[in-house]
Amino acid sequence: MRYRSITVIATMAWQAIARWHARGTADARLAAIGAMTFLVSDASLAWGKFRGDFAGSALLVLGTYWLAQWCIARSVTTGRTT
């Protein structure tokens, strides 16, 4: 079961990076950064769960999670004119 979630998250990051390389736009770059940062957040959570907490784990998990959310949300609005 745990391998499914890492597969989905790793595939999301891979696709976001591939999109950035294909398009080369600012919004694609933000989405790729967000996906990679989300991967770091989830890896930190997994490390804490299966290996034990480490100094600064809460800061790393929450910091990378919110940065990932911001980058992904910002990637949707970058370059748009309203």
Side-chain angles (χ1 to χ4, degrees):
M1 184 69 154
R2 65 182 156 178
Y3 297 114
R4 286 186 208 163
S5 60
I6 192 64
T7 302
V8 169
I9 293 167
T11 301
M12 174 194 66
W14 167 56
Q15 288 294 302
I17 292 168
R19 181 175 173 259
W20 176 32
H21 283 289
R23 294 185 65 197
T25 59
D27 60 332
R29 181 181 51 133
L30 276 171
I33 292 169
M36 290 301 297
T37 313
F38 191 63
L39 187 63
V40 170
S41 177
D42 263 24
S44 301
L45 278 172
W47 186 275
K49 181 174 182 176
F50 297 110
R51 295 286 190 168
D53 283 334
F54 53 92
S57 65
L59 179 62
L60 180 63
V61 169
L62 288 175
T64 53
Y65 175 79
W66 286 109
L67 178 61
Q69 293 297 326
W70 183 86
C71 288
I72 292 169
R74 186 73 177 116
S75 74
V76 175
T77 60
T78 300
R80 284 190 176 191
T81 57
T82 48

